Amino acid sequence: MGATVAPETVLKQLAELWVSTGKEEQGEDGTGVLRACTMTLVVLAEESDDAQSLGETLAALMPEHPARAIVIRLRGAGERALTERVYSQCWMPFGQRRQICCEQVELTASDAALGDLPSVVLPLAVPDLPLILWCRSARLAGMAEFWPLAAMAHKVIVDSAAMGDSLPRTALERVAETNRRGILVGDLSWTRLTRWREMLAQVFENQENLARLAKISSVELECGSRFYVSALYLGIWVNNCLADAGGRTAARRGEGRITLDESGVSLRVRLAGEGLTVELARQGDRMIATVNGVSQCTNLPPPSEYLLMREELGIVRRDPVFEKTLASAARPAYPTGK
Amino acid sequence: MPSENPFQDPLRFERRVPECVVVIFGANGDLTKRKLMPALYRLAYDRRLAAGFAVVGISRTPMTDDAFREKMREAVQQFSEATTLDEEVWKAFADGLFYVAGDIGDPELYRKAGQRLAEIETYHHTGGNVLFYLSTQPSQYARAALGIGAAGLGTGNGWRRLVVEKPFGHNLASARELSGELHKVFDESDVYRIDHYLGKETVQNILAFRFGNGIFEPLWNRRYVNSVQITGAESIGVEGRGAYYQEAGALDDMIQNHLLQVMATIAMEPSASFRAPSVRDERSKLLRSIRPMTPDEVRQNTVSGQYGPARIGGQDVPGFRQEPGVNPQAQTNTYAAVAFFVENWRWAGVPFYVRTGKRLPKRVTEIAIHFNPAPLHIFDQDGAASAPNLLIVRIQPEEGISLKFLSKRPGAGMTLRPVSMDFNYGSSFGERSPSAYETLLLDAIIGDATLYTRQDMVEASWAVVEPIQNMWRETKCEFPNYAAGTWGPAAADEMLARRGHTWRKP
């Protein structure tokens, strides 16, 4: 196992890779390969992470967000190790004759070599394009070595639900800390809620419902443990919106509540007040929206890691709604049934 | 009551869609089955429609609501592209489908429709918003609009809008007359004239390409652009629409609307904002800047054609005059090529060659911008290597943008060869592009008319096309003058050759 990586060598290997891929793919019709790149995507993953699943997610992301992917596999404690591997990820779009290829660099680093990573990643980043850091390692997110890597990024993406903290609020506090340091941050637990929030917003596009918004007097959430952090975000967001609308902030008055179903994977939110009851509930792959007893069913595919990352990679700028929700969620104020 | 919806998050959410009813006149017709219903179902599938969304289908055939739902279900199954029919989503969508039978000229139809709309407003909470969609014979447009008005359906608790399919008249006078009739019931701002070309992703991408980047606009003028070619080619014939087509022809069917709108998009001045009035003003200004031709100029700058029989890929293909329902002596143009000139400072002297035709070698719609050559040839270039720089915007079938330029061939010596730098819309972004009808229907529901054609634009197009129409009508042509499966009549090549140009073969 090597202990050093020379970025210049990696860049040379990347250049050679393109030459050889071009030669291999130069078909009889001379169509060749097309190189595409819109960002550098740095992925921090434990070596024990399912490599195949991660590879599939990256492959799915590449057609929409073509990137130079730098996957850093964390080996944990032990002998100092730092190695590299360069390869390309190609796909043939349906009905096309030309392959599209993106380059990937895989670095393996033991804990002892973590401090060397920024000096390797920085020269490997594609110039003039954003660098996105996707941290899948809860362990590294809690280490001091995380911050120099985060500081290089235009945006850091984490999943607070997977941070392994016993208290969800601790995970949210860590996400909020990243934001406080001036780094754009995305949380996949928040991204999981987009379709839910959109559906709720749609309900209040109706002027009659909007007129009754100020009379909402209770907000109830029910969730399985898998969605606990998301439910926390959802509750805070709903309350912030109600407060913005000048309504009775149910949660502040102790009427909002999260009920945790330890075994389930459900998520349900219910807003009720004079003349209006709105409920959104997950049923398998569908969402049932019920407004004053009238239900509507819509397709809600499970939010795979690919779908969540696809949305987050599309937003490389400040997200005021999320930042406001995150700032509120990191404060201990919301009553829960846990 | 809050004036704004506090739950909205424009950064992450799709655009807001108000609750409404879409009333389709001609609900039993081909357009409804092939395009409108699959597009509406897809919007429902993607959760783009509001909870109380409903459709009222109107047609002469007596049918129950359930029979209409079943018919639409079959249409969605047959004609939806890249969308499977999800039973649960369909059930919720179908619950909002209703049907009213009647004759467009009969006031009773509008009374029944009004009754249905009132019921739907109560139970679906649509707020009185209604989008009327005329998918009928063009001759019925005015009657339908006047019927809506006479029954008092043109106004209500919410907004009322009218979508009209092309053709918007068959010449300048009839276009004005139609607009006059529609305006008796609907304000111009509530009339949405649909041109599905403008709903295509790549046509919208022209605006992004031109006005979202700083590097192209400085080159976008007579100083650097030598000529522009806009091609809308179809490989199929009239496909059973011979009787209709022989009255319209390629000039009216394609150039007057689709291709002139594309030309306006490629040549318009930057708009002050991306708001509908701004963008439409600029498009309209460009159309009004196209020089209407004198009879002599029509002879010099236009070519009409009609395909004759041929054998393509081992199969015999009939000529236009042999198509069912077509007069064997028909003088219809199935091919039209026109050199337009825009009279403004940006484009003075730059020819815009626009061509369209049926039974051409392939189905392709594209814009090719030919740039001027380098002022001095310092390399020893052969003919092939001195090819001009081309910027090609492909609208269909493979949407994308290509830039062709010269590059040194690897090895000793300085030999140049043309290379192509391609951006392919479909493969660079893996996401499914919405169909033009999905985009345009949603825009009409939202009230965004940016991609719709305004009365002054329609009139400006007719003002340009009418002199050609008149001249062609007076001239007896020697048809057929091109064989099916070829790139059109030789006269079209000669028209370009007179200016030292040649047609691109896409």
Side-chain angles (χ1 to χ4, degrees):
Chain A
M1 178 68 70
T4 58
V5 166
E8 300 263 313
T9 311
V10 176
L11 289 169
K12 199 173 164 205
Q13 285 176 354
L14 284 171
E16 285 167 358
L17 180 79
W18 281 109
V19 172
S20 64
T21 310
K23 278 181 184 162
E24 276 171 29
E25 299 300 331
Q26 188 82 38
E28 287 173 10
D29 53 0
T31 44
V33 297
L34 184 67
R35 177 183 186 170
C37 194
T38 58
M39 66 180 70
T40 303
L41 177 61
V42 180
V43 186
L44 294 167
E46 293 293 338
E47 203 168 32
S48 55
D49 245 9
D50 183 350
Q52 190 182 340
S53 158
L54 175 60
E56 284 169 4
T57 301
L58 289 176
L61 286 170
M62 287 302 138
E64 197 172 339
H65 297 287
R68 174 178 290 175
I70 302 174
V71 179
I72 302 174
R73 296 212 151 266
L74 306 167
R75 301 194 74 198
E79 194 185 335
R80 180 189 148 78
L82 187 62
T83 61
E84 95 287 337
R85 184 166 75 96
V86 170
Y87 54 101
S88 65
Q89 173 108 42
C90 298
W91 70 96
M92 182 82 79
F94 181 75
Q96 307 282 321
R97 287 179 305 167
R98 182 178 296 193
Q99 281 209 102
I100 313 290
C101 292
C102 289
E103 49 201 15
Q104 292 200 13
V105 178
E106 190 175 291
L107 302 173
T108 306
S110 63
D111 284 357
L114 288 178
D116 295 328
L117 283 175
S119 63
V120 175
V121 171
L122 193 60
L124 292 182
V126 183
D128 309 317
L129 293 174
L131 187 151
I132 313 293
L133 182 69
W134 176 19
C135 184
R136 290 164 54 98
S137 164
R139 191 175 65 86
L140 185 68
M143 293 167 73
E145 285 85 348
F146 170 72
W147 296 109
L149 285 167
M152 292 192 309
H154 291 81
K155 179 173 181 176
V156 172
I157 300 170
V158 295
D159 185 355
S160 54
M163 278 189 166
D165 293 292
S166 53
L167 288 173
R169 208 174 289 282
T170 312
L172 293 182
E173 172 52 35
R174 289 161 68 186
V175 180
E177 171 61 18
T178 311
N179 198 228
R180 274 197 294 274
R181 290 187 183 218
I183 301 166
L184 289 182
V185 64
D187 184 349
L188 301 186
S189 294
W190 170 253
T191 323
R192 282 186 188 94
L193 293 172
T194 301
R195 298 284 86 84
W196 286 74
R197 296 191 304 118
E198 198 167 17
M199 185 58 84
L200 200 56
Q202 190 64 257
V203 170
F204 290 97
E205 279 301 293
N206 180 303
Q207 292 299 308
E208 289 173 22
N209 294 342
L210 187 64
R212 293 185 182 121
L213 188 62
K215 292 177 180 166
I216 295 289
S217 55
S218 78
V219 180
E220 290 173 16
L221 289 120
E222 192 183 299
C223 66
S225 51
R226 224 177 92 190
F227 293 114
Y228 190 64
V229 180
S230 293
L232 202 56
Y233 272 135
L234 186 60
I236 297 290
W237 173 72
V238 169
N239 277 333
N240 283 348
C241 292
L242 291 174
D244 287 349
R248 297 162 65 190
T249 50
R252 251 176 240 164
R253 294 169 61 246
E255 291 161 339
R257 190 154 194 88
I258 296 180
T259 308
L260 186 64
D261 165 16
E262 291 284 359
S263 58
V265 290
S266 63
L267 185 58
R268 183 188 301 268
V269 57
R270 188 170 183 275
L271 283 69
E274 194 184 318
L276 183 66
T277 306
V278 181
E279 184 179 278
L280 303 184
R282 167 183 287 283
Q283 272 186 16
D285 284 358
R286 296 192 173 76
M287 181 200 286
I288 312 295
T290 309
V291 181
N292 285 341
V294 179
S295 295
Q296 188 200 14
C297 168
T298 51
N299 187 37
L300 184 73
S304 64
E305 205 168 40
Y306 152 66
L307 286 171
L308 300 173
M309 280 301 292
R310 181 181 147 208
E311 181 175 326
E312 282 304 324
L313 292 179
I315 303 171
V316 189
R317 51 180 287 193
R318 287 197 61 202
D319 182 348
V321 177
F322 171 60
E323 286 177 9
K324 184 177 175 184
T325 310
L326 177 63
S328 307
R331 283 198 302 266
Y334 203 83
T336 72
K338 192 175 181 184
Chain B
M1 170 184 160
S3 55
E4 285 289 317
N5 180 350
F7 292 100
Q8 281 297 340
D9 184 353
L11 186 63
R12 290 185 185 251
F13 296 176
E14 302 281 2
R15 289 182 299 172
R16 306 174 191 198
V17 183
E19 277 152 340
C20 79
V21 187
V22 175
V23 179
I24 303 175
F25 286 83
N28 203 21
D30 233 27
L31 182 73
T32 306
K33 289 182 208 160
R34 286 174 181 272
K35 300 290 181 188
L36 302 183
M37 207 47 77
L40 289 171
Y41 169 72
R42 179 69 204 205
L43 290 171
Y45 182 86
D46 288 342
R47 303 178 299 277
R48 304 301 313 279
L49 299 174
F53 179 80
V55 174
V56 176
I58 289 179
S59 153
R60 277 168 28 159
T61 318
M63 218 185 314
T64 62
D65 287 342
D66 282 340
F68 178 62
R69 286 168 189 154
E70 189 49 39
K71 216 165 198 170
M72 293 304 108
R73 180 194 163 94
E74 285 167 16
V76 168
Q77 274 178 318
Q78 189 178 352
F79 297 113
S80 287
E81 286 171 15
T83 309
T84 49
L85 194 127
D86 181 297
E87 287 299 336
E88 290 289 328
V89 177
W90 172 258
K91 190 176 170 306
F93 178 71
D95 282 347
L97 298 185
F98 304 94
Y99 184 80
V100 177
D103 188 283
I104 283 180
D106 183 0
E108 178 61 12
L109 168 69
Y110 302 94
R111 193 194 59 75
K112 286 193 288 184
Q115 212 168 24
R116 257 301 158 79
L117 286 174
E119 287 165 14
I120 291 169
E121 190 176 332
T122 305
Y123 296 112
H124 283 248
H125 307 286
T126 52
N129 299 327
V130 184
L131 181 76
F132 295 100
Y133 198 115
L134 303 187
S135 172
T136 63
Q137 291 293 324
S139 58
Q140 306 275 32
Y141 291 168
R143 291 174 82 193
L146 293 173
I148 291 166
L153 304 179
T155 53
N157 295 331
W159 48 257
R160 303 286 155 120
R161 297 180 189 135
L162 181 74
V163 180
V164 190
E165 276 282 339
K166 68 148 189 154
F168 317 119
H170 49 86
N171 55 25
L172 182 56
S174 60
R176 281 187 177 145
E177 191 186 328
L178 175 63
S179 290
E181 296 290 291
L182 302 182
H183 291 165
K184 286 178 183 167
V185 182
F186 296 93
D187 283 340
E188 175 59 24
S189 60
D190 293 324
V191 178
Y192 288 66
R193 295 176 188 80
I194 197 166
D195 185 325
H196 75 269
Y197 260 56
L198 292 181
K200 289 178 183 290
E201 286 281 300
T202 329
V203 176
Q204 295 174 66
N205 198 33
I206 293 171
L207 298 173
F209 182 78
R210 285 191 60 197
F211 306 132
N213 298 294
I215 59 168
F216 303 110
E217 205 51 27
L219 306 178
W220 220 258
N221 56 53
R222 64 191 301 276
R223 193 163 166 205
Y224 299 100
V225 175
N226 185 276
S227 63
V228 178
Q229 290 187 15
I230 300 174
T231 302
E234 291 179 87
S235 56
I236 56 170
V238 289
E239 306 290 298
R241 291 167 65 230
Y244 157 76
Y245 195 83
Q246 72 176 348
E247 299 304 320
L251 181 70
D252 292 10
D253 195 46
M254 287 289 288
I255 292 183
Q256 185 275 331
N257 39 69
H258 301 322
L259 299 187
L260 277 177
Q261 288 296 334
V262 169
M263 177 178 157
T265 309
I266 206 83
M268 67 188 241
E269 294 297 315
S271 62
S273 71
F274 193 60
R275 292 209 174 90
S278 277
V279 176
R280 294 164 107 199
D281 283 350
E282 294 305 336
R283 214 178 252 142
S284 174
K285 259 166 63 184
L286 190 284
L287 290 168
R288 280 183 277 124
S289 306
I290 300 173
R291 186 170 76 217
M293 293 184 215
T294 62
D296 196 43
E297 284 172 329
V298 172
R299 274 187 285 274
Q300 290 291 315
N301 294 328
T302 72
V303 172
S304 69
Q306 188 188 89
Y307 64 86
R311 198 169 167 80
I312 302 173
Q315 203 170 17
D316 287 324
V317 170
F320 178 68
R321 288 174 174 174
Q322 287 77 49
E323 297 275 10
V326 173
N327 175 354
Q329 301 301 318
Q331 280 286 310
T332 310
N333 56 85
T334 63
Y335 175 96
V338 182
F340 289 114
F341 289 88
V342 177
E343 294 198 316
N344 63 20
W345 277 45
R346 184 189 285 264
W347 295 117
V350 177
F352 283 77
Y353 300 117
V354 179
R355 66 174 162 172
T356 182
K358 291 213 172 277
R359 285 271 184 237
L360 298 183
K362 65 203 272 197
R363 172 179 169 258
V364 60
T365 304
E366 65 162 41
I367 303 152
I369 296 162
H370 293 236
F371 289 92
N372 286 325
L376 184 67
H377 298 291
I378 61 169
F379 303 107
D380 185 20
Q381 290 162 245
D382 58 21
S386 62
N389 293 128
L390 282 178
L391 183 74
I392 295 148
V393 180
R394 296 187 307 275
I395 294 171
Q396 61 185 18
E398 283 180 18
E399 304 184 340
I401 293 171
S402 300
L403 180 66
K404 290 197 190 298
F405 55 91
L406 294 178
S407 162
K408 179 186 175 297
R409 184 175 293 165
M414 182 58 88
T415 313
L416 306 190
R417 67 173 179 190
V419 291
S420 175
M421 198 158 71
D422 293 336
F423 161 74
N424 190 308
Y425 211 73
S427 56
S428 294
F429 298 102
E431 205 170 13
R432 172 192 172 272
S433 292
S435 74
Y437 276 94
E438 285 169 47
T439 302
L440 293 169
L441 278 164
L442 204 60
D443 279 358
I445 292 170
I446 290 167
D448 180 353
T450 310
L451 301 176
Y452 281 86
T453 311
R454 210 167 52 188
Q455 182 191 357
D456 56 338
M457 294 150 86
V458 172
E459 290 182 9
S461 304
W462 278 122
V464 167
V465 164
E466 203 173 60
I468 306 170
Q469 234 184 5
N470 292 340
M471 186 70 189
W472 284 7
R473 207 170 284 137
E474 288 167 14
T475 313
K476 187 165 173 19
C477 301
E478 290 296 320
F479 285 159
N481 59 353
Y482 71 99
T486 67
W487 278 110
D493 297 331
E494 289 156 15
M495 179 176 85
L496 264 67
R498 286 197 288 275
R499 291 193 177 83
H501 297 142
T502 51
W503 286 111
R504 229 178 84 72
K505 290 192 171 53

